[in-house]
Amino acid sequence: MSFDYNRVFADAIASLHDENRYRVFADIERIAGQFPRATLRRDGATRDITVWCSNDYLGMGQHPTVVQAFLDTAKRNGIGAGGTRNISGTHHPVVLLEDELADLHGKAAALVFSSGFVSNEAAISTIARLLPGCVIFSDALNHASMIAGIRNAGCERKIFRHNDVEHLETLLKAEPADRPKLIAFESVYSMDGDVAPIHAICDLAEKYGAMTYIDEVHAVGMYGPRGGGVSEQVGAAHRIDVIEGTLAKAYGCMGGYITASRDIVDAVRSYAAGFIFTTTMPPAIAAAARAAIAHLKVSGIERAGQQRQAQRTKDELARRGLPVMASETHIVPVLVGNPALAKAATDRLLEHHGIYIQPINYPTVPRGTERLRITPGPLHDDRLVEALADALVETWHHLKLPFTTMPDAAAAE
């Protein structure tokens, strides 16, 4: 009797259902010019919804300048890139984009990848493999893409407690002074919304002779006077060896990148399989991303609007007694603590209130910290914030979820 291959996959899916971790993707159609409104398609019917969990944090995916740059370049250059850069060369819009990114972070060079996941995996693994006997020091809450790069590097790795510089120093101190070391961490941690102590980590890197690699994907475009991320905001960009970011969040496009010295970037370009063997970014996407970066370098309106509405959302939800988790940034996590109830809450929000939020469950967050992850932006006006708060209060009452304090009468209505 032959092996029942299909049963293995069916059982794997069944286990996700048993643990209430099976993920369902909504069929959503974004509406240019109306973000955060969207159309939900289900069973042949459509309805209007409001999206509260998009990583298009500033709505740049629909910005007229960005859309026009895409359209003009697509008309001029066509759609696809025609292959890898090793085969098809580098399209000029990509060259211009990399120049824009290097300038954004004050680095000598930049390199664009097909996604943020690929940029982390390819860059970290390549850099560490090229350093003889390298040991990587990784924050405990680093993103899966960073973890993949660290594992694929095939070198020794040590995990330091989240944002714990004392623990990091203990680990660094235990290594020989002349051993190559790479500290990998994020600026904004996307599930809790907290921020790394960048200067303190850089101090340790300088003290113990380590390279630094920072993931700024949830900060670029949104922090710093030109959108260079938290490292720019705190005046530390020049102290970081490699700054990695994405074009798929605040810039509203897609793709990932690294910026660093010319030698580091050239080494990654020349040795990283994730770069060498992947079709390059389409010219129109590169042009759109460049337009978004250039706009946010000189416009602070979007950043200010995001911070204002994020704080208003935190304040309004907390006023209603909802369990808003502490967050230093634009990310607003609301604790549920149970995967089935998190899914039930988001289902009710969508079905009864036309509000789309995805539940965040294990393994994205630790078990027992399941949550709703809300991402207010400048286009979530005060009326939408009020509607969200009302909907969450109704949902919490319906599912008998705990409030931190009982909401006042007006909030509970």
Side-chain angles (χ1 to χ4, degrees), residues 77-107:
N77 295 157
I79 301 300
T84 68
R85 288 165 75 167
N86 290 293
I87 291 173
S88 300
T90 300
H91 293 278
H92 189 58
V94 177
V95 174
L96 296 177
L97 172 59
E98 289 176 342
D99 289 344
E100 195 80 56
L101 287 164
D103 174 77
L104 174 67
H105 295 293
K107 300 298 183 186

Side-chain angles (χ1 to χ4, degrees), residues 339-362:
L341 290 173
K343 177 67 164 57
T346 57
D347 285 349
R348 185 167 185 83
L349 287 167
L350 185 60
E351 295 297 332
H352 292 267
H353 302 284
I355 289 175
Y356 177 61
I357 303 172
Q358 273 288 82
I360 305 296
N361 296 326
Y362 176 85

Side-chain angles (χ1 to χ4, degrees), residues 66-302:
V66 177
V67 173
Q68 195 60 52
F70 178 93
L71 294 173
D72 290 346
T73 307
K75 289 177 182 177
R76 185 170 63 250
N77 295 157
I79 301 300
T84 68
R85 288 165 75 167
N86 290 293
I87 291 173
S88 300
T90 300
H91 293 278
H92 189 58
V94 177
V95 174
L96 296 177
L97 172 59
E98 289 176 342
D99 289 344
E100 195 80 56
L101 287 164
D103 174 77
L104 174 67
H105 295 293
K107 300 298 183 186
L111 191 67
V112 170
F113 297 80
S114 56
S115 74
F117 191 104
V118 174
S119 60
N120 266 334
E121 189 284 323
I124 293 174
S125 62
T126 301
I127 290 167
R129 280 200 307 270
L130 290 173
L131 295 171
C134 179
V135 55
I136 301 177
F137 299 86
S138 174
D139 188 284
L141 293 188
N142 275 344
H143 188 262
S145 59
M146 301 180 78
I147 295 170
I150 292 165
R151 287 175 175 165
N152 291 341
C155 62
E156 185 178 359
R157 61 184 183 270
K158 297 191 175 183
I159 312 301
F160 62 92
R161 290 187 292 271
H162 177 54
N163 280 347
D164 188 335
V165 291
E166 291 184 0
H167 187 216
L168 174 58
E169 181 165 25
T170 298
L171 296 176
L172 285 165
K173 191 183 297 184
E175 297 300 324
D178 61 350
R179 184 178 186 183
K181 308 170 189 69
L182 177 65
I183 303 173
F185 64 107
E186 300 181 40
S187 61
V188 173
Y189 288 84
S190 62
M191 292 300 123
D192 293 325
D194 56 342
V195 177
I198 298 177
H199 276 297
I201 291 174
C202 289
D203 289 344
L204 291 179
E206 292 169 7
K207 182 177 180 179
Y208 294 99
M211 283 185 65
T212 46
Y213 182 107
I214 191 170
D215 175 318
E216 287 261 33
V217 299
H218 290 278
V220 289
M222 295 172 284
Y223 297 90
R226 300 197 309 158
V230 178
S231 59
E232 181 195 28
Q233 179 172 287
V234 301
H238 66 286
R239 305 184 69 189
I240 304 288
D241 292 296
V242 183
I243 298 177
E244 185 267 351
T246 185
L247 305 167
K249 294 181 171 59
Y251 296 124
C253 297
M254 66 176 295
Y257 66 87
I258 62 166
T259 63
S261 69
R262 291 196 184 280
D263 286 341
I264 292 174
V265 168
D266 200 16
V268 173
R269 180 190 69 86
S270 301
Y271 283 91
F275 173 82
I276 294 169
F277 299 106
T278 300
T279 297
T280 193
M281 176 182 292
I285 293 290
R290 182 190 176 214
I293 296 165
H295 174 83
L296 290 173
K297 279 181 177 178
V298 297
S299 174
I301 295 172
E302 293 83 3

